[in-house]
Amino acid sequence: MLELVGVTSRYGPVTALHDVDLVAEAGRITAVLGANGAGKTTLLRTISGLHRADKGTIRFDGRDITRLSTDAMTRAGMSHVPEGRGVITELTVRENLRLGQLGRSRSGTAMSIDDVVDLFPVLGDRSAALAHTLSGGERQMLVIGRALLATPRMLLLDEPSLGLAPRIVTQIFGIVRQLVESQGLTVLLVEQNARSALSIADVGVVLNLGRVVAQDSAAVLSADEGLRHAYLGY
Ligand SMILES: Nc1ncnc2c1ncn2[C@@H]1O[C@H](COP(=O)(O)OP(=O)(O)O)[C@@H](O)[C@H]1O
Ligand SMILES: [Mg+2]
């Protein structure tokens, strides 16, 4: 569904991605793993059009999207959940969710706010609460829920587990897995938390200093002790 060929992204003199080749198959979770500074966020920003690739080609469903704007990407069915859980803190949970319905794609998961509340019941319980009163886990659920309301076919998730208790991470990752199974959603999940990410991913891609150093099934990567110690931190 998504293919990167030879993608290089720079910030002035800093090359954050070097010649990255990557494939994310439809209906699968592809985890992109790597330490802080590996280039994970740059990868997602380059895919979703927030940052321009300096070299290479990005295809979504066979279409060259390398130079597409973020709005056009959303309409094409790609929804990016940036790191940092950006919610509009002065609005209620429900109002934040409604924002997700703006600029929907033409095809995709066609979810309603009620469907999102079924997935994340706490968002229903706290529907009238101002978003600034939410816990970190609730905020993460809200940003994922909001992204789903844009009816994506593909979801880009940037470190959803950061700073959350293991129990909450398990819960959120379980729901992401369930979405993939039930809706056929395609997910590119960027994580430093390699162990948790590999537990729900089908495929893993390991980034180190902006280069892909391994790309294989999640089972093969998890079983590779040398790789785990060298790059995955466990
Ligand atoms: N806006 C920026 N300006 C300059 N350098 C940046 C910027 N954003 C990221 N970088 C650099 O690009 C590299 C990759 O960063 P990033 O994509 O944020 O990695 P990760 O998400 O894996 O932690 C790092 O060396 C980082 O310092
Ligand atoms: Mg990052």
Side-chain angles (χ1 to χ4, degrees), residues 93 97 116-117 120-128 134 138 141-142 145:
V93 168
L97 287 175
V116 167
V117 167
F120 300 108
V122 70
L123 298 181
D125 301 341
R126 309 231 40 211
S127 150
L134 299 182
E138 290 164 350
M141 295 178 201
L142 180 54

Side-chain angles (χ1 to χ4, degrees), residues 42-119:
T42 303
L43 177 74
L44 293 194
R45 290 174 54 83
T46 303
I47 293 168
S48 70
L50 291 167
H51 187 84
R52 288 269 166 263
D54 290 275
K55 259 177 54 193
T57 306
I58 306 172
R59 289 191 201 90
F60 183 49
D61 259 353
R63 174 182 176 202
D64 186 338
I65 58 154
T66 318
R67 317 242 154 250
L68 229 53
S69 70
T70 304
D71 283 352
M73 294 294 298
T74 308
R75 285 195 300 276
M78 188 177 284
S79 209
H80 180 186
V81 180
E83 64 186 342
R85 311 188 184 121
V87 295
I88 302 193
T89 52
E90 301 85 353
L91 296 182
T92 66
V93 168
R94 194 166 189 92
E95 287 164 343
N96 269 281
L97 287 175
R98 285 210 196 98
L99 290 177
Q101 295 173 315
L102 304 174
R104 293 184 138 196
S105 78
R106 286 173 296 260
S107 56
T109 56
M111 292 181 82
S112 66
I113 290 185
D114 287 346
D115 294 331
V116 167
V117 167
D118 282 344
L119 279 176

Side-chain angles (χ1 to χ4, degrees), residues 178-228:
Q178 186 188 324
L179 276 166
V180 168
E181 304 292 336
S182 64
Q183 314 261 348
L185 195 67
T186 305
V187 175
L188 193 63
L189 167 66
V190 153
E191 269 295 343
Q192 259 185 85
N193 183 345
R195 189 202 294 262
S196 295
L198 285 173
S199 76
I200 60 152
D202 300 289
V203 176
V205 179
V206 181
L207 267 186
N208 183 53
L209 302 176
R211 295 177 199 272
V212 173
V213 294
Q215 182 155 196
D216 214 322
S217 74
V220 167
L221 295 181
S222 310
D224 187 335
E225 206 172 314
L227 183 97
R228 277 194 347 244

Side-chain angles (χ1 to χ4, degrees), residues 35-42 83 158-159 162 190 192:
N36 210 1
K40 304 181 298 300
T41 293
T42 303
E83 64 186 342
D158 197 344
E159 300 226 39
L162 201 67
V190 153
Q192 259 185 85

